[in-house]
Amino acid sequence: MKFPFVPDYYFPDIYAIDPERLRARGVKVLLADLDNTLAPYGVPKPSGEVVAWRARLEQAGITLFLLSNSRRPGRAQHYAEALGIPYEGHAGKPKSGGFRRALARMNAAPEEAAIVGDQIFTDILGGNRAGVLTLLVHPIRFGTVFRALRFGIETPFRAGAEDGRRL
């Protein structure tokens, strides 16, 4: 049995994730964290790079789905609408309810989904509990001392992940 805090794969950023390889693994839905995964905290709209990456996923037959814990009113909704993707705000990660709701909305089984996020204790733990493929990315930026400390604490768990180039 896999340790619940260890991601399946670790990537430097979302752009290093190859949509064709994900599809070859049977992934149809890619659940994605918002803050520090798709965009820095507070950035209201997707960059051109994120839009192009979503298009690459779509071309591979993968639907991007925003699964965010953001408590800022409208944050997840506005970002997802600007990107043209479905979303679940206030997802409650690492609890599995947000994952289950997202998968039900997309009519997907856990083995047909993956989660990409920057946090071990929310995105990865929640994804492992939900039975989806877990993809950890390096945070876009730390921003606070607390986030930098958390990143340090997570080091042993990142070390247990496969290099994303092996996906």
Side-chain angles (χ1 to χ4, degrees), residues 5 93-94 119-126 150 153-154 157:
F5 298 108
K93 297 175 288 182
Q119 294 188 48
I120 296 282
F121 300 114
T122 55
D123 307 312
I124 302 307
L125 175 59
R150 187 193 66 227
I153 292 167
E154 293 175 344
F157 305 119

Side-chain angles (χ1 to χ4, degrees), residues 44 64 72 76 94 101 109 114 123 129 135 139 154 167:
L64 185 61
R72 289 183 52 211
R101 287 188 300 275
D123 307 312
R129 292 176 73 200
L135 313 175
E154 293 175 344
L167 174 67

Side-chain angles (χ1 to χ4, degrees), residues 14 17 22 27 29-39 50 53-54 57 62-70 76 79-80 83 85-89 91 93 98-99 102-103 106 113-119 122-124 132-133 135 137:
I14 60 171
I17 299 170
L22 274 183
V27 173
V29 176
L30 179 57
L31 307 169
D33 177 53
L34 173 53
D35 290 316
N36 246 359
T37 299
L38 295 181
V50 171
W53 182 69
R54 184 205 44 86
L57 288 166
I62 298 171
T63 300
L64 185 61
F65 187 108
L66 185 64
L67 189 66
S68 176
N69 275 357
S70 179
Y79 192 93
L83 192 52
I85 62 172
Y87 74 96
E88 176 82 28
K93 297 175 288 182
F99 288 87
L103 294 176
M106 300 309 298
I115 176 77
V116 59
D118 68 303
Q119 294 188 48
T122 55
D123 307 312
I124 302 307
V132 303
L133 185 70
L135 313 175
V137 294

Side-chain angles (χ1 to χ4, degrees), residues 1 3-5 8 28-29 33 38 51 54-55 57 62 89 110 112-114 119 127-128 131 145 149 161 166:
M1 183 170 161
F3 192 63
F5 298 108
D8 292 308
K28 295 178 182 175
V29 176
D33 177 53
L38 295 181
V51 171
R54 184 205 44 86
L57 288 166
I62 298 171
E112 297 173 315
Q119 294 188 48
N128 283 332
V145 171
L149 283 171
R166 295 185 182 166

